Structures are given as C-alpha cells and as structure tokens.
Amino acid sequence: QQALAQCKQWIADNLKKNVKLVEVSSTVKAAEMVAKGMCMCHANEATSHGECDKCGIGAAVCSRAGADGVGLVLVREDIQDNRSNQTRFFVITASSPSARPVHALDSSPARTVLSFIVDDRAGMASLADILCILVQHGVKVRRMHTRARRSIQWAMTYVAEVEAEDNHVALAVADAKT
C-alpha cells in the first residue's frame, strides 16, 4: 500500500488507465508473486497466469535488491514521487547489541535502534538520566520518537536511533539498566 502511494504520480503518468493495482503485504511479496507468475487479480490465492482470463503480465513496485533477490528484471528506478523520499531498513536482533550481525560497508559507527520506557511520574529527569548515560559512553542520539503507553498510566515509550561503536552501546544499555 505504501509503495503504491509513494509512486502514485509516476503510475498515473506512465501506466495505462486500465492497469489493475493490487496491494499485497509487502514489496517483497509483490516481487515474489510476479517472479512465480502468480495471478495478481487474485493476490491472496495461489492462481497462476493463464488460469485467470482477466490477468495480464504482472509487475511489482520494489527495490533493486527485492527484484534481484527473486530474479526479476528492473524496468525503471527512482519512480517515487518525492525525490527526497527514503525508505529505511534495519537489521534487527533480539540478542545483545554488542555483536554486529553484518559488516558495515564503510568505517562509520554502527547505528542501533533502542527502545525504552520512562515513567513520566518521575518527570523528565528519567529521560535526562538515560540521555546522560548515552553521552557518557560516546553514544550519539540521531533521532528520537516518543509515544504514550496506553497500558501503563504516565509511562512513555521512547525509540532512539543512536550511533556509536557497538561495545559503547552495549555498555550504555547495561549502565542504564542499573
């Protein structure tokens, strides 16, 4: 749904008006369906092209990596309406942030996403304490989002994108837990 919305103008300008747009759960799923020759008219069914008299040739809006991953030919790149649009991807692990699962392509510090809950009854000092711990360990906060917790009165969930060497993040997290 989001991929089609981000390319709405390009689609309107470049595709025939009778092209049926089908929303699926992800761009990867769309690419897999096209690669397998699945009927896009019946996106939630395992129907192949030729089994449906309404279905034509399928195409997917996806990344270059998504197309390459399933053996599709990239027809057009950069079809997003807003040229500054960026989709961010993360490698997520439930294990300790001290073990980097992938090798960085450059020498820049790793970015890590931290999520933590602060009880707002303690005031902003609790958030300030956590931020001070991060700074003390050389961890830079690049972005931060907040959301009120519905299940816990006065508690806030913070999601912070931080940048530092992995061991610095692990030490800061350990320090914040105490």
Side-chain angles (χ1 to χ4, degrees):
Q1 182 179 8
Q2 186 176 0
L4 293 177
Q6 291 176 356
C7 305
K8 194 176 196 175
Q9 190 61 52
W10 186 92
I11 290 168
D13 292 346
N14 294 279
L15 298 180
K16 293 179 181 177
K17 302 303 176 209
N18 64 344
V19 169
K20 181 176 180 175
L21 301 179
V22 178
E23 295 176 0
V24 294
S25 60
S26 71
T27 58
V28 170
K29 175 75 171 170
E32 288 172 347
M33 290 175 70
V34 171
K36 291 177 182 174
M38 293 177 71
C39 174
M40 298 308 281
C41 294
H42 304 88
N44 297 319
E45 302 169 19
T47 307
S48 296
H49 293 301
E51 294 179 22
C52 172
D53 58 356
K54 298 177 185 175
C55 190
I57 297 171
V61 173
C62 67
S63 66
R64 174 183 288 279
D68 290 346
V70 294
L72 294 177
V73 175
L74 194 67
V75 177
R76 293 274 189 282
E77 268 187 293
D78 299 322
I79 64 170
Q80 70 274 15
D81 295 339
N82 181 348
R83 293 290 166 220
S84 64
N85 180 40
Q86 294 181 10
T87 301
R88 298 167 61 210
F89 295 93
F90 298 95
V91 175
I92 299 173
T93 179
S95 64
S96 169
S98 63
R100 184 185 283 183
V102 293
H103 297 286
L105 297 177
D106 57 30
S107 60
S108 63
R111 287 205 176 187
T112 303
V113 177
L114 301 176
S115 177
F116 52 92
I117 299 170
V118 173
D119 186 338
D120 201 36
R121 289 176 293 194
M124 292 305 287
S126 295
L127 176 59
D129 291 343
I130 291 172
L131 294 174
C132 285
I133 291 169
L134 294 173
V135 168
Q136 288 169 359
H137 287 282
V139 178
K140 297 176 185 174
V141 177
R142 294 299 183 191
R143 292 186 180 160
M144 185 175 285
H145 305 277
T146 184
R147 179 173 298 191
R149 301 274 303 190
R150 291 184 186 188
S151 59
I152 305 171
Q153 190 175 12
W154 307 110
M156 301 293 285
T157 296
Y158 292 87
V159 177
E161 184 177 326
V162 300
E163 185 178 271
E165 296 303 322
D166 290 336
N167 61 332
H168 293 230
V169 175
L171 291 170
V173 167
D175 215 6
K177 286 181 178 179
T178 57

